[in-house]
Amino acid sequence: MTVGLSLLRALKSHGAREIFGIPGDFVLPLFKQIEESAILPLVTLSHEPGLGFAADAAVRMHGGIGVTVVTYGAGALNMVNAVANAYAERVPLVIVAGCPGALEAQNGLVLHHQVQHVDTQWRIFREITCDQVRISDPAHAPDEIARVLRHCREYSLPVLIEVPRDITQAAMGEVPVLPATPYSDEAVAECADEWMQRIQAARHPVLVVDVEVRRFGLEARVAELARRLQLPVLTTFMGRGLLAEGQLLEGVQLHGTYLGIAGDARTTALLDESDLPVMLGAILSDVNFGVSAEKIDFRRALIAAQREARVGHHVYPNLPLAALVEALLQRIPAATRARAPAPMPIDAPGGLVADDEPVRAADVSRAINDRIRAHGPLPIASDMGDCLFAAMELLPTTLVAPGYYATMGYGVPAGMGVQLATGERSLTLVGDGAFQMTGLELGNCARLGIDPIVIVLNNQSWEMIRAFQPESRCSDLGDWHLARVADAIGGRGQRVRTRREFKAALDAAFAERGRFQLIELMIPPGDSTPTLKRFSDGIHAMRARR
Ligand SMILES: Cc1ncc(Cc2c([C@H](C)O)sc(CCOP(=O)(O)OP(=O)(O)O)c2C)c(N)n1
Ligand SMILES: [Mg+2]
């Protein structure tokens, strides 16, 4: 077997479902084997940032690992921001990057795509991946690749595999799937005992769930834990959309998303006034917890994330989240206790009034919630901008978004990745500024056989920038007539100004299959969702207090 085929088989055996790639001369030998072997389907897009975001969203939906294949230098370095997003948001993404062969790397000439050093790509990716391997010696490479792929899965973080272009055809053995990294059952039991003692002694415990619960496929088990513990449940900003699938919510007291000063006061109080936050898979980020008026004292919390568990000041290292969840479940009788009070109705506006009033940012969640109430949840991708705050106003539904890393450009490629991964039509929320960055990837939909629906909140500005710094004039973007752009690249564009037009356009978009749909909402400049307004008011108020 060749290096290329063995690597492709290994990616598949470790949970890859497809390859997102853009070729270049440093990876053409590998591309040839990808296409000839068809071990994994190949999806090509137009620009590496979009490629990385699409692969990120796909693996968030189907689990396993995501895979991108890019050329050396110009390709891989063009994807750095998308990989950084995956690292920050704990996404298991494999970057297979071409690199120079051994001989050409030493022939004394500076190579095309090379930067300061022939290893610059490697050095940059060490900062945004948890492990790396360069396949330079096929005799030892299988074990090294196995180690890297296990790290990708077990830490749910990106990894780099460099493939020198002169080695792709060399012979290499099978890459083993290593057994799970061992950990101490005793430590898990001791931690679970300690957590249970504290949970039973607490007066107002609250369960907070975040992205690692999905990354490790634990939503059903965590929902069962929530049912048995009978605790109120909150998601973090990043964890919005967790437990939203199907029956997961049965008997779970999901009270919505913690938004601190920007959220519903009763929901916020569940965490701010809790004497024991139990935080599963939580990233302690400013977006998740920085908007708390009462600075949360995490020393009184129980926190399990990044393969360790914390209790007060001490830490249990090398403790997988799945093992802890199972150990906790073993300590709680399955018999359901007295029904706990029903959760508070999730603060989700509905009831779009389809009249001739100008459409506003607040109407986005109203219209989508009406759709969810009438037709059930649907997978949603959101970009960064006020659209992400609109996504916080939605009823429980699957959501992929750069909730913590907060990069623009994620939405459109992510919505495409969602449909490519699940076959389900996705709905994407994106601002006009972010659409300008990666929106043209939609031109690939016809070739890929997908038909996502995209709602662009076109306020003709970087409105969030203006919200944070009103005096900035750099935020004006002008009118790009994005509905016409959609028509030009194979979709159907509808530009709407009133709420009546919005409702009609949304109904028409869902009614038509076979081409992507773009609804361009002409939002009045200066308008924003109530959630963004509360966030920015709250942040200004907190800054004023400091
Ligand atoms: C790649 C990238 N560049 C810059 C930013 C900074 C930034 C925001 C955050 C603060 O980092 S929000 C925002 C404006 C977004 O404009 P648009 O997509 O039109 O959405 P809206 O008009 O709803 O704001 C920028 C430039 C970013 N998050 N990501
Ligand atoms: Mg905008």
Side-chain angles (χ1 to χ4, degrees):
M1 198 162 32
T2 64
V3 163
L5 290 179
S6 177
L7 175 59
L8 292 171
R9 288 162 61 98
L11 291 169
K12 185 164 187 175
S13 62
H14 284 78
R17 305 278 187 83
E18 71 286 296
I19 288 175
F20 288 86
I22 295 179
D25 60 317
F26 284 98
V27 275
L28 277 180
L30 181 57
F31 261 75
K32 183 171 164 43
Q33 296 192 37
I34 291 169
E35 293 185 79
E36 286 173 357
S37 70
I39 292 172
L40 287 166
L42 173 63
V43 175
T44 58
L45 290 179
S46 306
H47 195 210
E48 284 86 359
L51 192 82
F53 291 141
D56 171 301
V59 68
R60 290 191 196 203
M61 295 304 291
H62 61 47
I65 56 175
V67 179
T68 56
V69 179
V70 288
T71 192
Y72 171 66
L77 300 187
N78 204 16
M79 203 166 65
V80 165
N81 184 50
V83 176
N85 174 67
Y87 193 100
E89 309 245 346
R90 304 280 188 280
V91 176
L93 190 62
V94 180
I95 298 88
V96 178
C99 70
L103 291 179
E104 61 186 327
Q106 295 149 17
N107 70 8
L109 295 176
V110 178
L111 300 169
H112 64 285
H113 294 338
Q114 181 177 334
V115 195
Q116 185 183 140
H117 189 280
V118 71
D119 285 342
T120 294
Q121 168 178 286
W122 175 272
R123 295 176 186 182
I124 288 171
F125 272 80
R126 282 173 66 87
E127 276 300 303
I128 51 176
T129 56
C130 70
D131 200 351
Q132 311 82 22
V133 60
R134 178 179 301 162
I135 305 177
S136 42
D137 173 4
H140 296 101
D143 290 342
E144 292 170 313
I145 295 167
R147 180 203 77 228
V148 166
L149 292 178
R150 181 169 68 175
H151 274 161
C152 181
R153 290 294 308 262
E154 292 187 347
Y155 286 88
S156 191
L157 288 173
V159 295
L160 172 69
I161 300 179
E162 280 195 341
V163 184
R165 63 173 161 182
D166 63 351
I167 210 148
T168 316
Q169 301 290 355
M172 182 167 87
E174 188 94 25
V175 175
V177 177
L178 299 176
T181 303
Y183 57 86
S184 158
D185 290 324
E186 266 177 50
V188 172
E190 186 181 310
C191 179
D193 288 340
E194 195 169 5
W195 275 42
M196 285 309 297
Q197 280 156 20
R198 292 197 181 215
I199 290 168
Q200 277 146 3
R203 290 188 321 285
H204 308 292
V206 62
L207 187 60
V208 180
V209 294
D210 198 351
V211 290
E212 284 193 358
V213 167
R214 163 152 311 147
R215 301 287 184 269
F216 293 112
L218 296 173
E219 284 183 85
R221 300 303 282 161
V222 168
E224 177 58 21
L225 184 64
R227 269 189 285 275
R228 294 194 197 175
L229 284 172
Q230 288 291 315
L231 296 186
V233 182
L234 293 175
T235 78
T236 61
F237 189 96
M238 282 181 68
R240 180 87 181 187
L242 281 174
L243 308 184
E245 285 296 322
Q247 281 61 43
L248 288 179
L249 277 176
E250 286 286 311
V252 172
Q253 304 169 48
L254 179 64
H255 289 267
T257 299
Y258 179 76
L259 295 174
I261 41 175
D264 173 284
R266 296 165 303 165
T267 307
T268 297
L270 285 172
L271 179 53
D272 284 358
E273 293 167 15
S274 166
D275 59 341
L276 190 76
V278 181
M279 307 171 92
L280 296 179
I283 298 177
L284 304 189
S285 71
D286 59 350
V287 168
N288 278 346
F289 304 105
V291 283
S292 163
E294 335 287 326
K295 189 154 174 25
I296 300 173
D297 178 357
F298 290 110
R299 289 168 304 175
R300 59 178 163 80
L302 303 177
I303 304 171
Q306 301 179 51
R307 207 175 164 88
E308 64 178 30
R310 291 185 220 175
V311 185
H313 291 280
H314 60 277
V315 174
Y316 291 84
N318 186 30
L319 199 147
L321 183 59
L324 177 59
V325 169
E326 289 309 317
L328 291 170
L329 283 167
Q330 286 161 15
R331 286 158 174 76
I332 311 161
T336 48
R337 295 188 210 156
R339 272 271 158 268
M344 287 181 274
I346 289 185
D347 177 20
L352 174 72
V353 178
D355 57 16
D356 293 324
E357 284 297 305
V359 69
R360 306 180 75 88
D363 294 318
V364 173
S365 56
R366 289 190 185 116
I368 297 172
N369 285 336
D370 290 345
R371 185 88 205 173
I372 292 174
R373 287 193 178 94
H375 303 276
L378 72 166
I380 291 184
S382 178
D383 212 299
M384 176 63 201
D386 196 14
C387 57
L388 187 56
F389 295 89
M392 293 300 126
E393 298 169 354
L394 297 179
L395 284 165
T397 192
T398 300
L399 172 68
V400 291
Y404 157 46
Y405 185 67
T407 180
M408 289 162 69
Y410 184 83
V412 165
M416 295 168 69
V418 165
Q419 187 168 2
L420 287 163
T422 65
E424 257 195 287
R425 194 178 205 184
S426 61
L427 175 65
T428 294
L429 304 180
V430 60
D432 54 317
F435 187 90
Q436 291 173 12
M437 292 186 175
T438 57
L440 280 187
E441 291 290 356
L442 288 169
N444 293 294
C445 286
R447 173 173 62 83
L448 297 173
I450 55 176
D451 56 355
I453 296 174
V454 177
I455 297 177
V456 182
L457 285 70
N458 189 355
N459 46 30
Q460 303 181 53
S461 75
W462 289 325
E463 196 55 34
M464 272 194 73
I465 297 303
R466 196 198 314 273
F468 290 153
Q469 189 158 292
E471 63 277 20
S472 273
R473 282 189 313 287
C474 69
S475 301
D476 294 334
L477 299 179
D479 186 352
W480 279 38
H481 294 281
L482 297 173
R484 284 193 220 150
V485 171
D487 293 335
I489 59 173
R492 174 171 72 163
Q494 300 179 73
R495 172 175 269 212
V496 302
R497 292 187 182 281
T498 69
R499 302 197 292 197
R500 185 189 314 280
E501 289 171 356
F502 180 25
K503 168 108 177 56
L506 204 53
D507 291 344
F510 275 99
E512 182 183 358
R513 297 303 307 253
R515 58 178 175 163
F516 77 83
Q517 304 284 321
L518 187 139
I519 298 172
E520 183 182 20
L521 300 185
M522 301 312 289
I523 306 278
D527 178 50
S528 67
T529 58
T531 305
L532 173 56
K533 178 102 182 55
R534 288 199 301 268
F535 243 88
S536 46
D537 291 351
I539 287 170
H540 287 313
M542 280 168 62
R543 283 183 185 154
R545 276 209 294 272
R546 284 180 186 161

